[in-house]
Amino acid sequence: AAAAAAAASSGWLLMMAMLLSNLSTAVSDVVVDAMVAEKSGGSDALEDDLQAFCWNALFVGGALGSAVGAVAMTTLGVPGVFLATSICPMIVAVAALSLNEPVTVVDTSGTSAARRTVADEVRSTVTAACNPAVLVPLLYIFIDGAVAPGLGTVTYFYVTTELGFSNEYLSAMGSAMWGVMLCGSLLGAAIFIPGQSSYREFMWWGGVVKIVMSLSTLVLALRLNIACGVSDEVYVGVSDAIETAVGRVLMLPFLSLAAKLTALNPGCEATLFALFMSVYNLSNTAGSYWGAAVCAYLGLEDGSFEALPTALLFRSLCMLLPLTLTYRMIPDTVATRKSTVDASTKAKSEEPCHLKRCSVFCGT
C-alpha cells in the first residue's frame, strides 16, 4: 500500500513537472512571437524572413537534439538525459538576460499607459479577433484541422504490430524528418512568395495535395505497395518524407497569413498570433478526438485493423470539405499596415471639398 501511494505521488509530481515545463515553453513561444512582430517593424519582408529563421533554427536544433539524444541515451542513461534536457531551458533563460528592449506601449483605445490593465489587453485582443477579416480565417483554420479524423495513433500501432516496424527504425525516421522539414521550409520559401502569391489559391491547391498524400497510407493498408514490389520500409520512409516536406511547404502560407493579419492590429500582435497558433493546435486536438471516435465506431481500438482502409478513405473524403470553403473564407491577399495607412491617407486627401467641410462642421 505504501509503495502504491508513493508511486501515485511520484506520478502526480511528474505530471505537474511536465505541465510546468510545457507552460514555460508556451510562454517563451509567445514572447518569441512578440519579438518577431516588434523587430519586423511592420515590414512584410523582414517579418517573413524572421519567421523563416525561427522555424529553420527549430529544425536545426531538433536534428541536432535527435542526433545527440541517440548517443546520450547509451552513455548518460535516462537520468543523464533528463538532466541535460533540464539544462537547456536554463541556457535560454541566461540568453534572455542579454536582451535589452525598452518597453514600448502602443495605445489604440485612448487609455493611458499608466491605466492599461490585463483586462484592457484582453478586450483589445477579443475586439481584434471578432473582426471578420480575422475571425473568418480563424474559423477556416479550425475547420481545416478538425474536420479530418486524426488516425496517427492507430496507424502507429498498425505499422508496429501488424507490419513489425521496430522502434529503432521509427526513431531513426523521426530524426531524419527534422532534416526533411528544414528542406521543406526552404522549398516553401522558394515557392510561396508573400505579397505575390495568392493565399487563397495556394491553400486550395495545398488542400488538393494533402488529399492525394493522405491516400498514401491507404495504399499501405491495402498492401498495394507489396503488389508493386516496394517493401514496407522503403515505402513508409519515402512517403513520410514527401508528406512531411509537403506539410512544411503548406504551413508557410498559414504562418504568413497569420503574421499579416496580426500586424494590422497594433498593440496585440503577439497575443493575436498566439491565438492563431492556439486555434491551429486546438483543431489538431479536436481532429484527434474525432479520429478516436471514428476508430471506436469501426472497432479499430481492439487491435483489429480490417476497417483501417475504410477509416483512411473516410478521412480523405472529409478533407474535401475545406476545399469548398477556401475561396469563401481565405483572402486572396492581405493589405499591410503601411499600405492600409497610405491608402487611408490618400483617400482623405482626395475627398471633395464639401465632404471635408462636412467632416469639420458635423464632427464626423
Side-chain angles (χ1 to χ4, degrees), residues 111-159:
T111 306
S112 65
R115 292 187 290 111
R116 287 189 68 83
T117 62
V118 175
D120 296 324
E121 299 298 335
V122 172
R123 192 178 301 110
S124 300
T125 304
V126 172
T127 302
C130 291
N131 185 351
V134 176
L135 181 61
V136 175
L138 269 177
L139 291 177
Y140 175 85
I141 291 168
F142 180 80
I143 294 173
D144 184 50
V147 70
L151 302 176
T153 302
V154 67
T155 303
Y156 170 79
F157 284 110
Y158 174 73
V159 298

Side-chain angles (χ1 to χ4, degrees), residues 221-281:
L222 294 175
R223 317 302 292 137
L224 298 179
N225 60 301
I226 299 297
C228 296
V230 181
S231 64
D232 293 332
E233 290 79 6
V234 173
Y235 180 80
V236 170
V238 173
S239 62
D240 277 9
I242 296 176
E243 189 172 355
T244 301
V246 170
R248 279 309 311 163
V249 172
L250 300 181
M251 187 71 175
L252 291 181
F254 160 69
L255 294 174
S256 177
L257 178 63
K260 297 294 186 298
L261 292 177
T262 55
L264 298 178
N265 298 273
C268 56
E269 296 98 327
T271 309
L272 199 56
F273 191 87
L275 177 63
F276 268 91
M277 300 306 298
S278 299
V279 170
Y280 175 79
N281 294 327

Side-chain angles (χ1 to χ4, degrees), residues 26-314:
V27 172
S28 301
D29 189 41
V30 173
V31 173
V32 170
D33 294 334
M35 292 174 62
V36 170
E38 291 177 356
K39 295 297 183 181
S40 63
S43 173
D44 292 339
L46 182 57
E47 188 165 12
D48 295 327
D49 291 341
L50 289 175
Q51 286 284 353
F53 177 80
C54 292
W55 283 95
N56 292 338
L58 173 65
F59 299 148
V60 172
L64 293 177
S66 298
V68 173
V71 179
M73 190 64 183
T74 58
T75 57
L76 300 178
V78 175
V81 170
F82 276 104
L83 178 62
T85 54
S86 64
I87 293 175
C88 293
M90 295 180 61
I91 297 176
V92 176
V94 172
L97 296 176
S98 63
L99 297 176
N100 183 19
E101 291 187 318
V103 178
T104 303
V105 179
V106 179
D107 189 6
T108 59
S109 60
T111 306
S112 65
R115 292 187 290 111
R116 287 189 68 83
T117 62
V118 175
D120 296 324
E121 299 298 335
V122 172
R123 192 178 301 110
S124 300
T125 304
V126 172
T127 302
C130 291
N131 185 351
V134 176
L135 181 61
V136 175
L138 269 177
L139 291 177
Y140 175 85
I141 291 168
F142 180 80
I143 294 173
D144 184 50
V147 70
L151 302 176
T153 302
V154 67
T155 303
Y156 170 79
F157 284 110
Y158 174 73
V159 298
T160 53
T161 61
E162 191 77 8
L163 302 184
F165 281 27
S166 63
N167 290 328
E168 291 77 9
Y169 175 80
L170 296 177
S171 177
M173 278 188 54
S175 301
M177 287 305 111
W178 287 106
V180 173
M181 284 189 286
L182 177 60
C183 295
S185 181
L186 297 176
L187 177 62
I191 296 176
F192 182 80
I193 303 176
Q196 300 181 17
S197 303
S198 170
Y199 292 106
R200 185 180 298 160
E201 293 183 2
F202 203 94
M203 287 188 174
W204 191 88
W205 284 108
V208 174
V209 173
K210 285 195 298 184
I211 294 175
V212 175
M213 293 305 303
S214 68
L215 297 176
S216 64
T217 312
L218 179 61
V219 172
L220 180 68
L222 294 175
R223 317 302 292 137
L224 298 179
N225 60 301
I226 299 297
C228 296
V230 181
S231 64
D232 293 332
E233 290 79 6
V234 173
Y235 180 80
V236 170
V238 173
S239 62
D240 277 9
I242 296 176
E243 189 172 355
T244 301
V246 170
R248 279 309 311 163
V249 172
L250 300 181
M251 187 71 175
L252 291 181
F254 160 69
L255 294 174
S256 177
L257 178 63
K260 297 294 186 298
L261 292 177
T262 55
L264 298 178
N265 298 273
C268 56
E269 296 98 327
T271 309
L272 199 56
F273 191 87
L275 177 63
F276 268 91
M277 300 306 298
S278 299
V279 170
Y280 175 79
N281 294 327
L282 178 62
S283 67
N284 292 329
T285 303
S288 299
Y289 283 108
W290 171 220
V294 171
C295 291
Y297 178 78
L298 297 177
L300 289 172
E301 78 276 9
D302 298 329
S304 177
F305 300 102
E306 285 79 5
L308 181 59
T310 303
L312 293 171
L313 181 60
F314 177 71

